[in-house]
Amino acid sequence: MLRAADQGLMTASRAGRSVIVVGIQWGDEGKGKIVDLLTERVGAVVRFQGGHNAGHTLIIGGEKTVLHLIPSGILRPDVACVIGNGVVLHLPSLLQEIDRLESRGVQVTGRLRISAACPLILPTHIELDRARESAGGARAIGTTGRGIGPAYEDKAARRSLRISDLFDPARLAERLAAAAALHNFVLEHYHKVAPVDAGAMLEELQRLGERVKPLAADTALFLDEQRRAGANLLFEGAQGAMLDVDHGTYPYVTSSNTTAGFAATGSGLGIGAFDYVLGIVKAYSTRVGAGPFPTELFDDTGRHLAEVGVEFGSTTGRPRRCGWFDAVAARRAVLHNGVTGLCVTKLDVLDGLDSLKICVGYRLRGQLVDSTPVFVDQYADCEPVYEELPGWHASTVGITTLEALPANARRYLERIEEVLGVPVDMISTGADRAQNIIVRHPFD
Ligand code: GDP
Ligand code: IMO
Ligand code: MG
Protein backbone atom coordinates (compact mmCIF):
# COMPACT_ATOMS: atom_id res chain seq x y z
CA MET A 1 0.00 0.00 0.00
CA LEU A 2 1.27 3.50 -0.84
CA ARG A 3 2.13 5.68 2.09
CA ALA A 4 1.03 9.35 1.93
CA ALA A 5 4.62 10.47 1.43
CA ASP A 6 5.02 8.14 -1.58
CA GLN A 7 1.94 9.64 -3.16
CA GLY A 8 3.52 13.08 -3.00
CA LEU A 9 0.92 14.20 -0.48
CA MET A 10 3.48 15.17 2.11
CA THR A 11 6.28 17.18 0.63
CA ALA A 12 7.40 19.70 3.23
CA SER A 13 9.59 18.93 6.19
CA ARG A 14 7.92 21.58 8.35
CA ALA A 15 4.56 23.30 7.85
CA GLY A 16 4.28 27.02 8.50
CA ARG A 17 2.41 28.48 11.46
CA SER A 18 -1.20 29.63 11.04
CA VAL A 19 -2.68 32.41 13.16
CA ILE A 20 -6.32 33.51 13.19
CA VAL A 21 -7.04 37.15 14.10
CA VAL A 22 -10.61 37.77 15.26
CA GLY A 23 -12.50 40.62 16.87
CA ILE A 24 -14.00 39.55 20.19
CA GLN A 25 -16.44 42.44 20.67
CA TRP A 26 -18.80 44.10 18.16
CA GLY A 27 -16.26 44.76 15.40
CA ASP A 28 -13.86 47.67 14.80
CA GLU A 29 -11.48 46.43 17.49
CA GLY A 30 -8.48 47.37 15.32
CA LYS A 31 -8.09 44.02 13.52
CA GLY A 32 -6.79 45.61 10.30
CA LYS A 33 -3.98 47.44 12.06
CA ILE A 34 -2.82 44.29 13.82
CA VAL A 35 -3.12 42.10 10.72
CA ASP A 36 -0.98 44.60 8.80
CA LEU A 37 1.60 44.54 11.59
CA LEU A 38 1.75 40.75 11.81
CA THR A 39 1.97 40.21 8.04
CA GLU A 40 5.63 41.16 8.28
CA ARG A 41 6.10 37.51 9.20
CA VAL A 42 3.67 35.75 6.81
CA GLY A 43 3.51 34.37 3.29
CA ALA A 44 -0.24 34.85 2.81
CA VAL A 45 -3.17 36.68 4.43
CA VAL A 46 -6.71 35.37 4.07
CA ARG A 47 -10.17 36.90 4.51
CA PHE A 48 -12.57 34.06 5.30
CA GLN A 49 -16.01 35.60 5.98
CA GLY A 50 -18.08 38.76 5.66
CA GLY A 51 -17.85 41.10 2.73
CA HIS A 52 -17.50 44.83 2.11
CA ASN A 53 -19.43 45.53 5.32
CA ALA A 54 -15.97 45.39 6.93
CA GLY A 55 -13.80 48.49 7.20
CA HIS A 56 -10.22 47.88 8.30
CA THR A 57 -7.99 50.91 8.84
CA LEU A 58 -4.21 50.89 8.40
CA ILE A 59 -2.02 53.86 9.24
CA ILE A 60 1.60 53.71 8.18
CA GLY A 61 3.80 56.73 8.76
CA GLY A 62 0.68 58.88 8.94
CA GLU A 63 -0.77 57.61 5.64
CA LYS A 64 -4.24 56.08 6.00
CA THR A 65 -5.65 53.15 4.00
CA VAL A 66 -9.14 51.73 4.59
CA LEU A 67 -9.74 48.23 3.26
CA HIS A 68 -13.13 46.57 2.90
CA LEU A 69 -12.52 43.34 1.00
CA ILE A 70 -8.83 43.10 0.28
CA PRO A 71 -6.86 41.52 3.13
CA SER A 72 -4.84 43.87 5.33
CA GLY A 73 -1.56 42.39 4.11
CA ILE A 74 -1.72 44.15 0.76
CA LEU A 75 0.65 46.95 1.81
CA ARG A 76 3.50 44.45 2.29
CA PRO A 77 4.72 43.78 -1.26
CA ASP A 78 5.82 40.16 -0.73
CA VAL A 79 2.63 38.92 0.90
CA ALA A 80 0.04 36.95 -1.09
CA CYS A 81 -3.56 38.00 -0.41
CA VAL A 82 -6.45 35.57 -0.55
CA ILE A 83 -10.22 36.02 -0.46
CA GLY A 84 -11.57 32.68 0.72
CA ASN A 85 -14.80 30.92 -0.19
CA GLY A 86 -16.54 32.17 2.97
CA VAL A 87 -16.55 35.79 1.75
CA VAL A 88 -19.51 37.26 -0.18
CA LEU A 89 -18.17 39.38 -3.01
CA HIS A 90 -19.50 42.60 -4.53
CA LEU A 91 -17.56 42.93 -7.77
CA PRO A 92 -17.87 46.73 -8.24
CA SER A 93 -16.54 47.33 -4.70
CA LEU A 94 -13.71 44.85 -5.18
CA LEU A 95 -12.59 46.43 -8.45
CA GLN A 96 -12.88 49.93 -7.04
CA GLU A 97 -10.68 48.91 -4.12
CA ILE A 98 -8.12 47.34 -6.46
CA ASP A 99 -8.08 50.45 -8.69
CA ARG A 100 -7.71 52.78 -5.73
CA LEU A 101 -4.74 50.82 -4.37
CA GLU A 102 -3.08 50.45 -7.77
CA SER A 103 -3.43 54.18 -8.47
CA ARG A 104 -1.34 54.68 -5.31
CA GLY A 105 1.31 52.29 -6.59
CA VAL A 106 0.25 49.24 -4.53
CA GLN A 107 0.51 46.14 -6.71
CA VAL A 108 -2.67 44.07 -6.31
CA THR A 109 -2.99 42.15 -9.59
CA GLY A 110 -0.79 39.10 -9.45
CA ARG A 111 -0.91 39.03 -5.65
CA LEU A 112 -4.64 38.68 -5.01
CA ARG A 113 -6.32 35.29 -5.39
CA ILE A 114 -10.07 34.88 -5.04
CA SER A 115 -11.80 31.59 -4.36
CA ALA A 116 -13.86 30.48 -7.36
CA ALA A 117 -16.49 29.41 -4.80
CA CYS A 118 -17.18 32.93 -3.47
CA PRO A 119 -20.87 33.86 -3.78
CA LEU A 120 -21.54 37.19 -5.49
CA ILE A 121 -23.44 40.10 -3.99
CA LEU A 122 -25.88 41.34 -6.64
CA PRO A 123 -27.50 44.79 -6.90
CA THR A 124 -30.81 43.17 -5.88
CA HIS A 125 -29.23 41.93 -2.62
CA ILE A 126 -28.36 45.53 -1.77
CA GLU A 127 -31.87 46.72 -2.65
CA LEU A 128 -33.41 43.95 -0.53
CA ASP A 129 -31.15 44.80 2.43
CA ARG A 130 -32.12 48.47 2.24
CA ALA A 131 -35.83 47.83 1.68
CA ARG A 132 -35.96 45.56 4.73
CA GLU A 133 -34.08 48.00 6.88
CA SER A 134 -36.41 50.86 6.01
CA ALA A 135 -39.43 48.63 6.63
CA GLY A 136 -37.98 47.45 9.96
CA GLY A 137 -38.70 50.68 11.84
CA ALA A 138 -37.63 50.39 15.48
CA ARG A 139 -36.68 46.75 14.89
CA ALA A 140 -34.20 47.56 12.09
CA ILE A 141 -30.79 45.93 12.56
CA GLY A 142 -28.85 48.98 11.44
CA THR A 143 -27.00 46.99 8.76
CA THR A 144 -24.31 48.52 6.61
CA GLY A 145 -26.73 48.31 3.65
CA ARG A 146 -24.21 46.30 1.63
CA GLY A 147 -26.49 43.35 0.80
CA ILE A 148 -24.64 41.00 3.13
CA GLY A 149 -27.68 39.31 4.70
CA PRO A 150 -29.58 38.62 1.44
CA ALA A 151 -26.37 37.32 -0.19
CA TYR A 152 -25.74 34.79 2.60
CA GLU A 153 -29.41 33.78 2.49
CA ASP A 154 -29.04 32.93 -1.19
CA LYS A 155 -25.90 30.93 -0.43
CA ALA A 156 -27.83 28.79 2.06
CA ALA A 157 -30.73 28.54 -0.38
CA ARG A 158 -28.33 27.28 -3.10
CA ARG A 159 -29.33 30.18 -5.31
CA SER A 160 -26.05 32.12 -5.34
CA LEU A 161 -24.08 33.02 -8.39
CA ARG A 162 -20.46 32.22 -7.69
CA ILE A 163 -17.21 33.47 -9.17
CA SER A 164 -17.01 30.15 -11.02
CA ASP A 165 -20.28 30.98 -12.85
CA LEU A 166 -18.50 33.89 -14.55
CA PHE A 167 -16.64 31.30 -16.65
CA ASP A 168 -19.82 29.86 -18.18
CA PRO A 169 -21.87 32.58 -19.96
CA ALA A 170 -24.98 30.43 -20.46
CA ARG A 171 -25.03 29.26 -16.85
CA LEU A 172 -24.42 32.81 -15.64
CA ALA A 173 -27.36 34.16 -17.64
CA GLU A 174 -29.65 31.34 -16.53
CA ARG A 175 -28.84 31.55 -12.82
CA LEU A 176 -28.99 35.33 -12.83
CA ALA A 177 -32.40 35.31 -14.51
CA ALA A 178 -33.73 32.92 -11.84
CA ALA A 179 -32.31 34.91 -8.92
CA ALA A 180 -33.38 38.27 -10.38
CA ALA A 181 -36.94 37.04 -10.96
CA LEU A 182 -37.30 36.06 -7.31
CA HIS A 183 -35.54 39.14 -5.91
CA ASN A 184 -37.55 41.51 -8.10
CA PHE A 185 -40.81 39.80 -7.19
CA VAL A 186 -40.08 40.40 -3.50
CA LEU A 187 -38.90 43.98 -4.11
CA GLU A 188 -41.97 44.89 -6.15
CA HIS A 189 -44.77 42.97 -4.49
CA TYR A 190 -43.64 42.66 -0.87
CA HIS A 191 -41.55 45.80 -0.32
CA LYS A 192 -43.37 47.88 -2.95
CA VAL A 193 -40.16 49.35 -4.31
CA ALA A 194 -38.78 49.49 -7.83
CA PRO A 195 -37.25 46.31 -9.28
CA VAL A 196 -33.69 46.19 -10.69
CA ASP A 197 -33.15 45.85 -14.43
CA ALA A 198 -32.04 42.22 -14.88
CA GLY A 199 -30.46 42.93 -18.27
CA ALA A 200 -28.30 45.67 -16.82
CA MET A 201 -27.24 43.34 -13.98
CA LEU A 202 -26.16 40.68 -16.45
CA GLU A 203 -24.27 43.19 -18.57
CA GLU A 204 -22.41 44.47 -15.50
CA LEU A 205 -21.54 40.96 -14.31
CA GLN A 206 -20.23 40.03 -17.76
CA ARG A 207 -18.17 43.21 -18.01
CA LEU A 208 -16.71 43.16 -14.49
CA GLY A 209 -16.39 39.38 -14.63
CA GLU A 210 -13.80 39.68 -17.40
CA ARG A 211 -11.56 41.61 -15.01
CA VAL A 212 -12.12 39.29 -12.09
CA LYS A 213 -11.73 35.95 -13.89
CA PRO A 214 -7.91 36.06 -13.94
CA LEU A 215 -7.94 36.42 -10.13
CA ALA A 216 -10.05 33.30 -9.55
CA ALA A 217 -8.20 30.35 -8.07
CA ASP A 218 -8.48 27.17 -6.06
CA THR A 219 -7.47 29.06 -2.94
CA ALA A 220 -7.70 26.10 -0.54
CA LEU A 221 -5.13 24.27 -2.62
CA PHE A 222 -2.93 27.37 -2.79
CA LEU A 223 -3.03 27.84 0.99
CA ASP A 224 -2.30 24.18 1.61
CA GLU A 225 0.71 24.35 -0.70
CA GLN A 226 1.98 27.50 1.02
CA ARG A 227 1.63 25.92 4.43
CA ARG A 228 3.38 22.74 3.42
CA ALA A 229 6.19 24.79 1.89
CA GLY A 230 6.77 26.35 5.32
CA ALA A 231 4.99 29.71 4.87
CA ASN A 232 3.21 31.29 7.83
CA LEU A 233 -0.46 32.11 7.19
CA LEU A 234 -2.68 34.76 8.75
CA PHE A 235 -6.48 34.55 8.75
CA GLU A 236 -8.12 37.96 9.05
CA GLY A 237 -11.54 38.00 10.69
CA ALA A 238 -14.10 40.70 9.96
CA GLN A 239 -16.75 42.01 12.37
CA GLY A 240 -16.60 40.56 15.90
CA ALA A 241 -17.78 37.62 18.00
CA MET A 242 -20.85 39.42 19.32
CA LEU A 243 -21.99 39.87 15.70
CA ASP A 244 -21.65 36.14 14.90
CA VAL A 245 -24.87 34.82 13.37
CA ASP A 246 -24.93 31.87 15.82
CA HIS A 247 -23.21 33.19 18.93
CA GLY A 248 -23.85 36.93 18.80
CA THR A 249 -26.75 39.06 20.02
CA TYR A 250 -29.15 37.54 17.46
CA PRO A 251 -30.98 38.96 15.56
CA TYR A 252 -28.77 42.06 15.94
CA VAL A 253 -25.85 40.37 14.22
CA THR A 254 -24.29 40.07 10.81
CA SER A 255 -25.11 37.09 8.58
CA SER A 256 -21.84 35.17 8.75
CA ASN A 257 -19.93 33.24 11.41
CA THR A 258 -17.34 35.69 12.63
CA THR A 259 -15.73 33.35 15.15
CA ALA A 260 -12.40 31.59 14.65
CA GLY A 261 -13.83 28.17 13.74
CA PHE A 262 -15.05 29.61 10.47
CA ALA A 263 -11.46 30.35 9.39
CA ALA A 264 -11.34 26.64 8.50
CA THR A 265 -14.63 26.43 6.60
CA GLY A 266 -14.24 29.85 5.00
CA SER A 267 -10.78 29.08 3.63
CA GLY A 268 -11.05 25.36 2.96
CA LEU A 269 -8.32 24.22 5.38
CA GLY A 270 -9.04 21.69 8.11
CA ILE A 271 -9.16 22.71 11.77
CA GLY A 272 -5.87 20.94 12.42
CA ALA A 273 -4.10 23.54 10.26
CA PHE A 274 -4.36 26.29 12.91
CA ASP A 275 -1.93 27.06 15.71
CA TYR A 276 -2.99 30.23 17.49
CA VAL A 277 -6.06 32.48 17.82
CA LEU A 278 -5.41 36.15 18.54
CA GLY A 279 -8.47 37.84 20.04
CA ILE A 280 -8.47 41.57 19.35
CA VAL A 281 -10.21 43.56 22.05
CA LYS A 282 -10.58 47.29 22.50
CA ALA A 283 -9.72 48.61 25.97
CA TYR A 284 -13.37 49.76 26.06
CA SER A 285 -16.43 48.79 23.99
CA THR A 286 -18.05 50.12 20.84
CA ARG A 287 -20.93 49.00 18.68
CA VAL A 288 -22.36 50.29 15.38
CA GLY A 289 -26.00 49.60 14.57
CA ALA A 290 -28.81 48.42 16.82
CA GLY A 291 -28.87 45.74 19.52
CA PRO A 292 -28.12 45.23 23.21
CA PHE A 293 -25.08 46.96 24.65
CA PRO A 294 -25.26 46.88 28.46
CA THR A 295 -22.20 49.06 29.14
CA GLU A 296 -23.16 51.84 26.72
CA LEU A 297 -22.45 55.34 28.07
CA PHE A 298 -24.39 58.51 27.31
CA ASP A 299 -22.28 60.81 29.52
CA ASP A 300 -19.01 62.74 29.34
CA THR A 301 -16.97 59.53 29.50
CA GLY A 302 -18.90 58.18 26.49
CA ARG A 303 -18.12 61.41 24.67
CA HIS A 304 -14.44 61.16 25.68
CA LEU A 305 -14.22 57.62 24.20
CA ALA A 306 -15.98 58.69 20.99
CA GLU A 307 -13.89 61.82 20.51
CA VAL A 308 -10.44 60.61 21.57
CA GLY A 309 -11.02 57.21 19.95
CA VAL A 310 -12.43 58.87 16.79
CA GLU A 311 -15.26 56.36 16.89
CA PHE A 312 -16.93 56.69 13.51
CA GLY A 313 -17.62 53.66 11.29
CA SER A 314 -14.91 53.03 8.66
CA THR A 315 -17.53 51.77 6.19
CA THR A 316 -20.63 53.89 6.75
CA GLY A 317 -19.22 56.84 8.73
CA ARG A 318 -21.91 56.34 11.41
CA PRO A 319 -21.00 57.37 14.97
CA ARG A 320 -20.16 54.27 17.02
CA ARG A 321 -21.92 53.73 20.34
CA CYS A 322 -19.29 53.71 23.13
CA GLY A 323 -19.12 52.19 26.60
CA TRP A 324 -16.98 50.57 29.30
CA PHE A 325 -15.16 47.31 28.76
CA ASP A 326 -17.61 44.39 29.03
CA ALA A 327 -15.68 41.44 30.45
CA VAL A 328 -18.80 39.26 30.57
CA ALA A 329 -19.35 39.50 26.81
CA ALA A 330 -15.60 39.22 26.11
CA ARG A 331 -15.32 36.07 28.28
CA ARG A 332 -18.05 34.51 26.18
CA ALA A 333 -16.18 35.49 23.02
CA VAL A 334 -12.96 33.95 24.35
CA LEU A 335 -14.89 30.72 24.79
CA HIS A 336 -16.46 30.75 21.31
CA ASN A 337 -13.16 31.56 19.59
CA GLY A 338 -10.79 29.43 21.65
CA VAL A 339 -8.61 32.51 22.08
CA THR A 340 -4.93 31.73 22.70
CA GLY A 341 -3.82 35.29 23.41
CA LEU A 342 -5.30 38.78 23.48
CA CYS A 343 -4.31 42.00 21.78
CA VAL A 344 -5.72 44.98 23.70
CA THR A 345 -6.07 47.98 21.37
CA LYS A 346 -6.69 51.68 21.90
CA LEU A 347 -5.31 51.67 25.44
CA ASP A 348 -4.18 55.26 24.79
CA VAL A 349 -7.81 56.36 24.45
CA LEU A 350 -8.24 55.80 28.22
CA ASP A 351 -5.38 58.23 29.04
CA GLY A 352 -6.54 61.01 31.34
CA LEU A 353 -9.65 59.33 32.78
CA ASP A 354 -9.71 59.44 36.60
CA SER A 355 -11.13 55.99 37.04
CA LEU A 356 -12.08 53.09 34.78
CA LYS A 357 -14.86 50.55 34.98
CA ILE A 358 -14.90 46.92 33.90
CA CYS A 359 -18.25 45.15 33.69
CA VAL A 360 -17.81 41.85 35.57
CA GLY A 361 -21.44 40.74 35.80
CA TYR A 362 -24.99 41.72 34.94
CA ARG A 363 -28.06 42.34 37.03
CA LEU A 364 -30.93 40.68 35.22
CA ARG A 365 -34.42 41.14 36.67
CA GLY A 366 -33.03 41.34 40.21
CA GLN A 367 -30.62 38.41 39.83
CA LEU A 368 -26.84 38.66 39.52
CA VAL A 369 -25.46 36.74 36.53
CA ASP A 370 -21.85 36.31 35.45
CA SER A 371 -22.39 35.17 31.85
CA THR A 372 -24.32 36.53 28.89
CA PRO A 373 -27.94 35.31 28.85
CA VAL A 374 -28.65 32.26 26.73
CA PHE A 375 -32.00 33.77 25.82
CA VAL A 376 -30.88 36.75 23.82
CA ASP A 377 -34.10 38.65 24.36
CA GLN A 378 -33.01 38.98 28.00
CA TYR A 379 -29.81 40.70 26.93
CA ALA A 380 -31.47 44.08 26.55
CA ASP A 381 -32.62 43.88 30.19
CA CYS A 382 -29.12 43.30 31.57
CA GLU A 383 -27.66 46.08 33.69
CA PRO A 384 -23.90 46.12 34.15
CA VAL A 385 -22.23 45.36 37.48
CA TYR A 386 -18.96 47.24 37.56
CA GLU A 387 -15.62 46.93 39.22
CA GLU A 388 -13.70 50.22 39.40
CA LEU A 389 -9.99 50.69 38.84
CA PRO A 390 -7.82 53.79 39.08
CA GLY A 391 -6.99 55.56 35.81
CA TRP A 392 -3.71 57.21 34.79
CA HIS A 393 -2.85 60.70 33.71
CA ALA A 394 0.37 60.11 31.76
CA SER A 395 0.22 59.56 27.99
CA THR A 396 0.57 55.99 26.73
CA VAL A 397 0.58 57.03 23.07
CA GLY A 398 3.23 55.17 21.11
CA ILE A 399 4.71 53.32 24.11
CA THR A 400 6.49 50.15 22.97
CA THR A 401 7.47 48.42 26.24
CA LEU A 402 5.39 47.18 29.17
CA GLU A 403 7.80 48.77 31.64
CA ALA A 404 7.17 52.23 30.18
CA LEU A 405 3.40 52.04 30.82
CA PRO A 406 1.96 53.83 33.86
CA ALA A 407 1.51 51.38 36.76
CA ASN A 408 -2.28 51.78 36.66
CA ALA A 409 -2.37 50.96 32.94
CA ARG A 410 -0.48 47.72 33.65
CA ARG A 411 -2.91 47.01 36.48
CA TYR A 412 -5.87 47.51 34.11
CA LEU A 413 -4.35 45.08 31.59
CA GLU A 414 -3.60 42.53 34.31
CA ARG A 415 -7.21 42.69 35.44
CA ILE A 416 -8.40 42.07 31.86
CA GLU A 417 -6.10 39.03 31.73
CA GLU A 418 -7.48 37.75 35.03
CA VAL A 419 -11.16 38.14 34.21
CA LEU A 420 -10.82 36.71 30.71
CA GLY A 421 -8.41 33.93 31.70
CA VAL A 422 -6.08 34.46 28.72
CA PRO A 423 -2.78 36.33 28.46
CA VAL A 424 -2.45 39.77 26.91
CA ASP A 425 0.19 39.04 24.27
CA MET A 426 0.00 42.37 22.46
CA ILE A 427 -1.05 45.95 23.26
CA SER A 428 -1.76 48.69 20.74
CA THR A 429 -0.91 52.21 21.88
CA GLY A 430 -1.81 54.21 18.79
CA ALA A 431 -3.23 53.89 15.31
CA ASP A 432 0.13 53.73 13.56
CA ARG A 433 1.74 50.42 12.57
CA ALA A 434 4.70 51.19 14.85
CA GLN A 435 2.70 51.90 18.03
CA ASN A 436 2.61 48.54 19.83
CA ILE A 437 3.89 46.53 22.74
CA ILE A 438 4.58 42.92 21.77
CA VAL A 439 4.79 40.70 24.85
CA ARG A 440 4.64 37.39 22.97
CA HIS A 441 4.57 37.35 19.17
CA PRO A 442 1.85 35.02 17.80
CA PHE A 443 4.30 33.65 15.22
CA ASP A 444 6.98 32.80 17.80
P1 GDP B 1 -11.21 46.92 12.42
O1 GDP B 1 -12.51 46.94 11.69
O2 GDP B 1 -11.22 45.96 13.57
O3 GDP B 1 -10.03 46.73 11.54
O4 GDP B 1 -11.07 48.36 13.08
P2 GDP B 1 -11.35 49.79 12.35
O5 GDP B 1 -10.21 50.08 11.49
O6 GDP B 1 -12.71 49.83 11.79
O7 GDP B 1 -11.39 50.73 13.63
C1 GDP B 1 -10.31 50.88 14.48
C2 GDP B 1 -9.91 52.37 14.50
O8 GDP B 1 -9.01 52.60 15.58
C3 GDP B 1 -9.16 52.79 13.25
O9 GDP B 1 -9.46 54.13 12.99
C4 GDP B 1 -7.69 52.62 13.65
O10 GDP B 1 -6.84 53.50 12.91
C5 GDP B 1 -7.75 53.02 15.10
N1 GDP B 1 -6.78 52.33 15.97
C6 GDP B 1 -6.36 51.05 15.95
N2 GDP B 1 -5.56 50.78 17.00
C7 GDP B 1 -5.48 51.93 17.71
C8 GDP B 1 -4.83 52.29 18.94
O11 GDP B 1 -4.19 51.49 19.61
N3 GDP B 1 -5.01 53.58 19.37
C9 GDP B 1 -5.75 54.50 18.69
N4 GDP B 1 -5.85 55.71 19.20
N5 GDP B 1 -6.37 54.19 17.53
C10 GDP B 1 -6.24 52.92 17.07
P1 IMO C 1 -15.36 45.34 10.83
O1 IMO C 1 -14.76 44.17 10.06
C1 IMO C 1 -18.72 46.92 13.12
C2 IMO C 1 -22.71 45.53 11.98
C3 IMO C 1 -23.66 46.53 11.40
C4 IMO C 1 -24.99 45.97 11.89
C5 IMO C 1 -24.76 44.47 11.82
C6 IMO C 1 -25.32 43.81 10.56
O2 IMO C 1 -14.91 46.65 10.33
O3 IMO C 1 -15.16 45.13 12.29
P2 IMO C 1 -24.50 43.78 8.03
O4 IMO C 1 -24.31 44.90 7.05
O5 IMO C 1 -23.27 42.99 8.28
O6 IMO C 1 -25.68 42.92 7.70
O7 IMO C 1 -24.90 44.54 9.40
O8 IMO C 1 -23.35 44.28 11.86
N1 IMO C 1 -21.40 45.43 11.29
C7 IMO C 1 -20.25 45.90 11.78
N2 IMO C 1 -20.00 46.61 12.89
N3 IMO C 1 -17.69 46.55 12.32
C8 IMO C 1 -17.92 45.80 11.22
O9 IMO C 1 -16.94 45.27 10.47
C9 IMO C 1 -19.25 45.49 10.87
N4 IMO C 1 -19.84 44.82 9.85
C10 IMO C 1 -21.14 44.78 10.12
O10 IMO C 1 -23.42 47.83 11.88
O11 IMO C 1 -25.17 46.30 13.26
MG1 MG D 1 -13.97 48.28 11.06
Side-chain angles (χ1 to χ4, degrees):
M1 200 172 79
L2 282 176
R3 288 176 304 133
D6 299 329
Q7 295 173 25
L9 294 179
M10 293 174 65
T11 47
S13 53
R14 188 183 156 273
R17 195 168 160 82
S18 293
V19 171
I20 305 170
V21 172
V22 279
I24 66 164
Q25 292 158 312
W26 285 273
D28 304 324
E29 296 89 349
K31 299 174 292 293
K33 177 204 152 156
I34 300 302
V35 168
D36 165 70
L37 171 72
L38 296 178
T39 46
E40 192 182 11
R41 304 254 309 249
V42 311
V45 194
V46 191
R47 272 284 305 271
F48 56 88
Q49 46 72 228
H52 64 309
N53 49 349
H56 297 175
T57 315
L58 282 43
I59 299 183
I60 297 151
E63 195 183 352
K64 180 170 165 175
T65 307
V66 183
L67 299 167
H68 300 286
L69 273 167
I70 295 182
S72 300
I74 199 73
L75 300 188
R76 306 236 183 220
D78 297 329
V79 175
C81 290
V82 172
I83 297 181
N85 55 276
V87 172
V88 283
L89 210 59
H90 184 240
L91 295 186
S93 300
L94 173 75
L95 293 170
Q96 195 182 59
E97 207 168 315
I98 294 176
D99 290 343
R100 205 170 280 160
L101 285 164
E102 295 205 324
S103 72
R104 284 175 40 195
V106 179
Q107 178 72 33
V108 181
T109 320
R111 289 177 54 208
L112 179 66
R113 290 169 175 77
I114 301 173
S115 168
C118 282
L120 300 176
I121 299 184
L122 303 174
T124 43
H125 289 136
I126 295 172
E127 292 306 317
L128 285 166
D129 189 0
R130 293 183 179 167
R132 271 185 214 163
E133 282 289 284
S134 45
R139 288 192 313 281
I141 307 289
T143 71
T144 60
R146 300 294 192 265
I148 304 294
Y152 276 114
E153 282 167 41
D154 273 3
K155 172 178 166 172
R158 295 159 291 193
R159 235 183 344 251
S160 292
L161 279 83
R162 292 170 141 199
I163 290 282
S164 55
D165 293 322
L166 298 170
F167 290 84
D168 182 339
R171 185 181 159 86
L172 181 73
E174 185 195 317
R175 288 185 69 81
L176 181 69
L182 177 67
H183 295 165
N184 277 333
F185 182 85
V186 178
L187 284 169
E188 259 190 293
H189 300 291
Y190 184 79
H191 291 294
K192 318 277 185 223
V193 297
V196 182
D197 182 341
M201 280 205 286
L202 181 61
E203 186 278 322
E204 182 182 62
L205 276 183
Q206 287 165 336
R207 187 166 40 85
L208 302 184
E210 287 311 307
R211 280 195 63 196
V212 173
K213 271 155 65 174
L215 310 180
D218 186 335
T219 47
L221 215 54
F222 171 74
L223 291 171
D224 187 51
E225 282 163 8
Q226 291 286 307
R227 211 175 80 80
R228 286 170 190 276
N232 287 333
L233 303 178
L234 192 67
F235 295 78
E236 176 180 8
Q239 292 82 50
M242 303 311 287
L243 293 172
D244 183 286
V245 68
D246 284 277
H247 302 294
T249 54
Y250 192 92
Y252 298 99
V253 293
T254 190
S255 297
S256 67
N257 286 108
T258 59
T259 38
F262 201 75
T265 306
S267 70
L269 296 187
I271 52 169
F274 301 91
D275 300 285
Y276 179 108
V277 178
L278 183 67
I280 314 283
V281 66
K282 251 180 222 183
Y284 49 98
S285 304
T286 62
R287 173 165 205 166
V288 201
F293 185 9
T295 65
E296 185 168 11
L297 292 170
F298 301 95
D299 59 2
D300 283 347
T301 307
R303 279 186 285 279
H304 169 103
L305 299 175
E307 280 163 26
V308 181
V310 199
E311 295 296 355
F312 292 92
S314 324
T315 297
T316 57
R318 290 178 289 178
R320 296 173 181 152
R321 301 155 67 191
C322 297
W324 290 120
F325 183 73
D326 187 337
V328 186
R331 203 158 46 214
R332 185 94 194 181
V334 165
L335 162 82
H336 293 314
N337 285 288
V339 168
T340 319
L342 298 166
C343 172
V344 178
T345 60
K346 304 190 91 160
L347 184 70
D348 54 293
V349 175
L350 301 182
D351 292 354
L353 293 173
D354 290 328
S355 72
L356 306 169
K357 288 182 183 166
I358 295 182
C359 170
V360 289
Y362 300 138
R363 192 168 291 107
L364 174 62
R365 297 169 194 165
Q367 300 260 308
L368 281 180
V369 292
D370 63 0
S371 65
T372 54
V374 175
F375 298 102
V376 284
D377 55 343
Q378 295 178 352
Y379 214 134
D381 294 338
C382 284
E383 288 168 37
V385 176
Y386 287 121
E387 183 178 292
E388 204 157 340
L389 280 90
W392 56 89
H393 289 279
S395 166
T396 63
V397 177
I399 285 183
T400 54
T401 63
L402 268 184
E403 297 69 36
L405 284 178
N408 284 346
R410 287 207 300 274
R411 193 165 155 196
Y412 185 70
L413 293 169
E414 280 159 13
R415 191 64 192 134
I416 289 179
E417 268 183 343
E418 272 168 21
V419 288
L420 299 193
V422 259
V424 172
D425 284 346
M426 296 176 67
I427 300 140
S428 173
T429 55
D432 199 274
R433 183 193 263 176
Q435 296 176 309
N436 309 285
I437 301 170
I438 301 180
V439 183
R440 180 171 69 131
H441 199 290
F443 283 105
D444 279 344

